[in-house]
Structures are given as structure tokens and as C-alpha cells.
Amino acid sequence: MIMGLTGGIASGKSTVSAMFVDKGARLVDADVIAREVMLPGHPVLAAAVQQFGEGILQPDGTLNRARLGEIVFNDSEARQKLNALTHPAIRREIKNRMHALEQEDPQRLILVDIPLLYESELDNLFQKITVVYVPRELQLARLMERNHLTPEQAEGRLQAQMDIEQKRSRANYVIDNSRDLAHAKQQVDVLWDRLGLL
Ligand SMILES: CC(C)(COP(=O)(O)OP(=O)(O)OC[C@H]1O[C@@H](n2cnc3c(N)ncnc32)[C@H](O)[C@@H]1O)[C@@H](O)C(=O)NCCC(=O)NCCS
Ligand SMILES: Nc1ncnc2c1ncn2[C@@H]1O[C@H](COP(=O)(O)OP(=O)(O)OP(=O)(O)O)[C@@H](O)[C@H]1O
């Protein structure tokens, strides 16, 4: 079975996917792929430099993530331009990895962690979708703490995504990550059993 996993920025997708991996799931992580297409030498990074200028690079030629983040999380037009450059390549690679894992081991759960799953209308790739949910205020607080952002910067990142309540209402399954890790783990265990993955 292939299951999509999504949620809001900093809602705990990576934390919860790691729990599924511990239980034996295979993982495709869109954020990892998104980083790969922005490595020096990749045509997607070259296209981004064409679009946004050399200022998005560090002196050593690697992407200045903070700089590009400042641009795209404050300007929806710029973000759409970046998405148009990055998303086709990311989508292609997600599908390749999903299908390779499926062939390798058809019995295992394949979990595909995609932050922008609903925004990019990728829901039809999956039989089931799990949303990792926390209320918006907690999402904002965890994001500010993890990324050392001001409230304004964190708000900009939240605004760049579909509201988490909307994502929750569209999900087949919801993992509530607003309490401690043990509470989240308990829900992963229940879902694992419910999916018949013993
Ligand atoms: C803008 C960039 C350089 C910022 O890098 P930074 O290290 O600060 O953040 P990181 O990559 O770890 O992303 C953190 C989270 O931000 C959110 N996010 C990233 N890009 C976007 C976007 N274009 N739109 C909305 N949310 C986004 C996601 O929830 C992601 O998990 C980077 O996110 C990027 O290259 N984004 C474009 C590719 C993309 O769309 N990735 C996310 C989905 S696969
Ligand atoms: N149950 C929890 N209790 C306290 N802190 C948590 C919990 N779950 C996750 N965190 C913390 O919240 C932050 C966000 O978690 P995580 O990185 O897993 O989110 P994410 O959804 O993968 O983020 P992104 O969208 O940026 O990829 C991290 O600093 C993590 O350590």
C-alpha cells in the first residue's frame, strides 16, 4: 500500500514518518528530493538562478536557503515562479521512487511525505492520506522555535500553505501531534494495526 503523509509546516511530518519507518515502512520524502534538485550542478538550481539572480547563491555556489526563503515566503508571485521551476522535477522523482519501492517490496507500506500534497493536487496518487495535525498556534510556536524565526517570518511561511484545518478535514486519517511524542506514537501504532500491517 502507498500512503500519502502531509500536514502543515512544522506540524511534525518528519517526526511521525520516522515512527512509521521504525515500524517497517519505506519512506519517500519530498523535502529530501526538493533539496537534491537545488544542489550545485542540477538544472533546476540553474533555472532558479536565472530567475532570481546570483544573489540566491552562497560564495561557494550552493543555495543560500535563507535568502531564497526570504524572497519566496513573502511574495506569492515569486513563490509560484519557484514552484513552477521545482515542482515538475520533484513530482517526477517522487513517482520514480514510489514505483521503485513498490516493485522492490509490494507487501510493505510505502509512505510518501509531501508537505504540499493538497496544494499541488497530488491526492489522486494515493489510496489513503494521513495528515499530521497540530492547531495553528502550536504550529506557529514550533516553527518559530525550530527555525529561529520572528512571528512575522513564521506567519509568512504558514500563509504560503493551505490552512491546516482544511487539510485535516480532507484526510483519511489524522495523527494529532499536539501532545507528547508518546501520544503521537500511540496513534501511529493504532493506525498501523488498522491498516492490517502487523
Ligand atoms: C525556499 C527554500 C529554499 C527554503 O529553504 P529552508 O531550508 O528554509 O526550508 P525547507 O526546504 O527545509 O522547507 C521547510 C518547509 O517549508 C515549506 N515550503 C518549502 N517550500 C515551499 C513552497 N514553495 N511553498 C509553500 N511551502 C513551502 C514546506 O512545508 C517545507 O517542509 C526551500 O524550501 C525550497 O527550495 N523550496 C522549493 C521546493 C519546494 O516546493 N519544497 C517544498 C515541497 S516538496
Ligand atoms: N509531539 C511533539 N512535541 C514537541 N515537539 C515536537 C513534537 N513533534 C515534533 N516536535 C518538534 O516540532 C518541530 C517540527 O517537527 P518536524 O520537523 O517533524 O515537522 P515537519 O512537519 O516535518 O516540518 P517541515 O514542514 O518543516 O518539514 C521540530 O522541532 C520537532 O522536534
Side-chain angles (χ1 to χ4, degrees), residues 11-31:
S11 72
K13 295 177 297 297
S14 307
T15 304
V16 167
S17 348
M19 292 174 182
F20 276 101
V21 168
D22 274 350
K23 294 186 74 77
R26 306 295 303 272
L27 178 67
V28 177
D29 184 335
D31 271 340

PDB file of all heavy atoms in Angstrom, residues 11-31:
ATOM      1  N   SER A  11       4.360  20.743  11.522  1.00  0.00           N
ATOM      2  CA  SER A  11       3.313  20.054  12.295  1.00  0.00           C
ATOM      3  C   SER A  11       3.816  18.712  12.828  1.00  0.00           C
ATOM      4  O   SER A  11       3.184  18.117  13.702  1.00  0.00           O
ATOM      5  CB  SER A  11       2.045  19.861  11.458  1.00  0.00           C
ATOM      6  OG  SER A  11       2.218  18.876  10.464  1.00  0.00           O
ATOM      7  N   GLY A  12       4.953  18.244  12.273  1.00  0.00           N
ATOM      8  CA  GLY A  12       5.537  17.005  12.794  1.00  0.00           C
ATOM      9  C   GLY A  12       5.576  15.863  11.784  1.00  0.00           C
ATOM     10  O   GLY A  12       5.678  14.697  12.166  1.00  0.00           O
ATOM     11  N   LYS A  13       5.563  16.194  10.497  1.00  0.00           N
ATOM     12  CA  LYS A  13       5.572  15.142   9.460  1.00  0.00           C
ATOM     13  C   LYS A  13       6.817  14.269   9.562  1.00  0.00           C
ATOM     14  O   LYS A  13       6.735  13.053   9.504  1.00  0.00           O
ATOM     15  CB  LYS A  13       5.510  15.762   8.049  1.00  0.00           C
ATOM     16  CG  LYS A  13       4.220  16.497   7.777  1.00  0.00           C
ATOM     17  CD  LYS A  13       4.219  17.146   6.410  1.00  0.00           C
ATOM     18  CE  LYS A  13       5.285  18.203   6.259  1.00  0.00           C
ATOM     19  NZ  LYS A  13       5.149  19.353   7.155  1.00  0.00           N
ATOM     20  N   SER A  14       7.994  14.915   9.699  1.00  0.00           N
ATOM     21  CA  SER A  14       9.237  14.128   9.765  1.00  0.00           C
ATOM     22  C   SER A  14       9.261  13.276  11.023  1.00  0.00           C
ATOM     23  O   SER A  14       9.689  12.110  10.986  1.00  0.00           O
ATOM     24  CB  SER A  14      10.464  15.044   9.781  1.00  0.00           C
ATOM     25  OG  SER A  14      10.408  15.916   8.703  1.00  0.00           O
ATOM     26  N   THR A  15       8.788  13.850  12.116  1.00  0.00           N
ATOM     27  CA  THR A  15       8.770  13.128  13.388  1.00  0.00           C
ATOM     28  C   THR A  15       7.894  11.888  13.271  1.00  0.00           C
ATOM     29  O   THR A  15       8.291  10.783  13.666  1.00  0.00           O
ATOM     30  CB  THR A  15       8.211  14.067  14.493  1.00  0.00           C
ATOM     31  OG1 THR A  15       9.007  15.259  14.512  1.00  0.00           O
ATOM     32  CG2 THR A  15       8.207  13.421  15.853  1.00  0.00           C
ATOM     33  N   VAL A  16       6.703  12.061  12.685  1.00  0.00           N
ATOM     34  CA  VAL A  16       5.764  10.940  12.573  1.00  0.00           C
ATOM     35  C   VAL A  16       6.231   9.944  11.503  1.00  0.00           C
ATOM     36  O   VAL A  16       6.121   8.726  11.697  1.00  0.00           O
ATOM     37  CB  VAL A  16       4.332  11.465  12.296  1.00  0.00           C
ATOM     38  CG1 VAL A  16       3.394  10.357  11.870  1.00  0.00           C
ATOM     39  CG2 VAL A  16       3.797  12.186  13.530  1.00  0.00           C
ATOM     40  N   SER A  17       6.802  10.443  10.387  1.00  0.00           N
ATOM     41  CA  SER A  17       7.289   9.460   9.390  1.00  0.00           C
ATOM     42  C   SER A  17       8.367   8.584   9.979  1.00  0.00           C
ATOM     43  O   SER A  17       8.433   7.400   9.657  1.00  0.00           O
ATOM     44  CB  SER A  17       7.850  10.053   8.102  1.00  0.00           C
ATOM     45  OG  SER A  17       7.620  11.326   7.908  1.00  0.00           O
ATOM     46  N   ALA A  18       9.213   9.155  10.833  1.00  0.00           N
ATOM     47  CA  ALA A  18      10.281   8.338  11.442  1.00  0.00           C
ATOM     48  C   ALA A  18       9.674   7.219  12.291  1.00  0.00           C
ATOM     49  O   ALA A  18      10.228   6.112  12.351  1.00  0.00           O
ATOM     50  CB  ALA A  18      11.192   9.227  12.293  1.00  0.00           C
ATOM     51  N   MET A  19       8.525   7.492  12.894  1.00  0.00           N
ATOM     52  CA  MET A  19       7.865   6.443  13.692  1.00  0.00           C
ATOM     53  C   MET A  19       7.360   5.311  12.790  1.00  0.00           C
ATOM     54  O   MET A  19       7.439   4.137  13.144  1.00  0.00           O
ATOM     55  CB  MET A  19       6.686   7.039  14.472  1.00  0.00           C
ATOM     56  CG  MET A  19       7.117   8.007  15.564  1.00  0.00           C
ATOM     57  SD  MET A  19       5.682   8.799  16.323  1.00  0.00           S
ATOM     58  CE  MET A  19       6.526   9.903  17.485  1.00  0.00           C
ATOM     59  N   PHE A  20       6.825   5.676  11.623  1.00  0.00           N
ATOM     60  CA  PHE A  20       6.383   4.653  10.669  1.00  0.00           C
ATOM     61  C   PHE A  20       7.576   3.850  10.142  1.00  0.00           C
ATOM     62  O   PHE A  20       7.487   2.640   9.960  1.00  0.00           O
ATOM     63  CB  PHE A  20       5.640   5.299   9.494  1.00  0.00           C
ATOM     64  CG  PHE A  20       4.178   5.572   9.765  1.00  0.00           C
ATOM     65  CD1 PHE A  20       3.740   6.841  10.085  1.00  0.00           C
ATOM     66  CD2 PHE A  20       3.249   4.544   9.697  1.00  0.00           C
ATOM     67  CE1 PHE A  20       2.389   7.093  10.324  1.00  0.00           C
ATOM     68  CE2 PHE A  20       1.904   4.782   9.932  1.00  0.00           C
ATOM     69  CZ  PHE A  20       1.471   6.065  10.249  1.00  0.00           C
ATOM     70  N   VAL A  21       8.684   4.539   9.900  1.00  0.00           N
ATOM     71  CA  VAL A  21       9.880   3.850   9.386  1.00  0.00           C
ATOM     72  C   VAL A  21      10.394   2.859  10.436  1.00  0.00           C
ATOM     73  O   VAL A  21      10.770   1.736  10.118  1.00  0.00           O
ATOM     74  CB  VAL A  21      10.966   4.873   8.970  1.00  0.00           C
ATOM     75  CG1 VAL A  21      12.300   4.188   8.708  1.00  0.00           C
ATOM     76  CG2 VAL A  21      10.512   5.639   7.740  1.00  0.00           C
ATOM     77  N   ASP A  22      10.349   3.265  11.703  1.00  0.00           N
ATOM     78  CA  ASP A  22      10.757   2.362  12.792  1.00  0.00           C
ATOM     79  C   ASP A  22       9.936   1.083  12.797  1.00  0.00           C
ATOM     80  O   ASP A  22      10.413   0.026  13.192  1.00  0.00           O
ATOM     81  CB  ASP A  22      10.527   3.044  14.151  1.00  0.00           C
ATOM     82  CG  ASP A  22      11.715   3.901  14.540  1.00  0.00           C
ATOM     83  OD1 ASP A  22      12.754   3.796  13.863  1.00  0.00           O
ATOM     84  OD2 ASP A  22      11.587   4.684  15.505  1.00  0.00           O
ATOM     85  N   LYS A  23       8.690   1.196  12.386  1.00  0.00           N
ATOM     86  CA  LYS A  23       7.816   0.015  12.383  1.00  0.00           C
ATOM     87  C   LYS A  23       7.983  -0.833  11.125  1.00  0.00           C
ATOM     88  O   LYS A  23       7.392  -1.896  11.001  1.00  0.00           O
ATOM     89  CB  LYS A  23       6.358   0.448  12.519  1.00  0.00           C
ATOM     90  CG  LYS A  23       6.054   1.073  13.862  1.00  0.00           C
ATOM     91  CD  LYS A  23       4.587   1.362  14.053  1.00  0.00           C
ATOM     92  CE  LYS A  23       3.759   0.134  14.297  1.00  0.00           C
ATOM     93  NZ  LYS A  23       3.864  -0.419  15.649  1.00  0.00           N
ATOM     94  N   GLY A  24       8.722  -0.295  10.130  1.00  0.00           N
ATOM     95  CA  GLY A  24       8.997  -1.098   8.931  1.00  0.00           C
ATOM     96  C   GLY A  24       8.531  -0.482   7.625  1.00  0.00           C
ATOM     97  O   GLY A  24       8.657  -1.106   6.574  1.00  0.00           O
ATOM     98  N   ALA A  25       7.971   0.738   7.665  1.00  0.00           N
ATOM     99  CA  ALA A  25       7.547   1.366   6.408  1.00  0.00           C
ATOM    100  C   ALA A  25       8.764   1.853   5.632  1.00  0.00           C
ATOM    101  O   ALA A  25       9.829   2.105   6.214  1.00  0.00           O
ATOM    102  CB  ALA A  25       6.626   2.546   6.712  1.00  0.00           C
ATOM    103  N   ARG A  26       8.606   1.961   4.319  1.00  0.00           N
ATOM    104  CA  ARG A  26       9.614   2.606   3.478  1.00  0.00           C
ATOM    105  C   ARG A  26       9.156   4.037   3.251  1.00  0.00           C
ATOM    106  O   ARG A  26       7.961   4.295   3.158  1.00  0.00           O
ATOM    107  CB  ARG A  26       9.744   1.898   2.124  1.00  0.00           C
ATOM    108  CG  ARG A  26      10.004   0.403   2.215  1.00  0.00           C
ATOM    109  CD  ARG A  26      11.334   0.060   2.828  1.00  0.00           C
ATOM    110  NE  ARG A  26      12.473   0.643   2.135  1.00  0.00           N
ATOM    111  CZ  ARG A  26      13.107   0.078   1.110  1.00  0.00           C
ATOM    112  NH1 ARG A  26      12.703  -1.081   0.632  1.00  0.00           N
ATOM    113  NH2 ARG A  26      14.166   0.652   0.569  1.00  0.00           N
ATOM    114  N   LEU A  27      10.120   4.960   3.139  1.00  0.00           N
ATOM    115  CA  LEU A  27       9.748   6.381   3.069  1.00  0.00           C
ATOM    116  C   LEU A  27      10.270   7.050   1.806  1.00  0.00           C
ATOM    117  O   LEU A  27      11.427   6.880   1.421  1.00  0.00           O
ATOM    118  CB  LEU A  27      10.331   7.097   4.298  1.00  0.00           C
ATOM    119  CG  LEU A  27      10.090   8.611   4.382  1.00  0.00           C
ATOM    120  CD1 LEU A  27       8.613   8.936   4.575  1.00  0.00           C
ATOM    121  CD2 LEU A  27      10.916   9.220   5.523  1.00  0.00           C
ATOM    122  N   VAL A  28       9.397   7.825   1.177  1.00  0.00           N
ATOM    123  CA  VAL A  28       9.829   8.770   0.139  1.00  0.00           C
ATOM    124  C   VAL A  28       9.554  10.153   0.721  1.00  0.00           C
ATOM    125  O   VAL A  28       8.431  10.444   1.128  1.00  0.00           O
ATOM    126  CB  VAL A  28       9.022   8.571  -1.170  1.00  0.00           C
ATOM    127  CG1 VAL A  28       9.435   9.605  -2.208  1.00  0.00           C
ATOM    128  CG2 VAL A  28       9.200   7.160  -1.711  1.00  0.00           C
ATOM    129  N   ASP A  29      10.604  10.990   0.795  1.00  0.00           N
ATOM    130  CA  ASP A  29      10.483  12.291   1.459  1.00  0.00           C
ATOM    131  C   ASP A  29      10.673  13.412   0.430  1.00  0.00           C
ATOM    132  O   ASP A  29      11.766  13.610  -0.105  1.00  0.00           O
ATOM    133  CB  ASP A  29      11.565  12.362   2.567  1.00  0.00           C
ATOM    134  CG  ASP A  29      11.469  13.633   3.399  1.00  0.00           C
ATOM    135  OD1 ASP A  29      10.947  14.654   2.894  1.00  0.00           O
ATOM    136  OD2 ASP A  29      11.925  13.602   4.557  1.00  0.00           O
ATOM    137  N   ALA A  30       9.581  14.140   0.171  1.00  0.00           N
ATOM    138  CA  ALA A  30       9.633  15.194  -0.861  1.00  0.00           C
ATOM    139  C   ALA A  30      10.619  16.307  -0.499  1.00  0.00           C
ATOM    140  O   ALA A  30      11.240  16.904  -1.386  1.00  0.00           O
ATOM    141  CB  ALA A  30       8.243  15.784  -1.071  1.00  0.00           C
ATOM    142  N   ASP A  31      10.793  16.583   0.801  1.00  0.00           N
ATOM    143  CA  ASP A  31      11.742  17.632   1.196  1.00  0.00           C
ATOM    144  C   ASP A  31      13.184  17.235   0.840  1.00  0.00           C
ATOM    145  O   ASP A  31      13.996  18.090   0.484  1.00  0.00           O
ATOM    146  CB  ASP A  31      11.648  17.918   2.702  1.00  0.00           C
ATOM    147  CG  ASP A  31      10.607  19.003   3.017  1.00  0.00           C
ATOM    148  OD1 ASP A  31      10.252  19.782   2.110  1.00  0.00           O
ATOM    149  OD2 ASP A  31      10.169  19.064   4.184  1.00  0.00           O
TER     150      ASP A  31
END
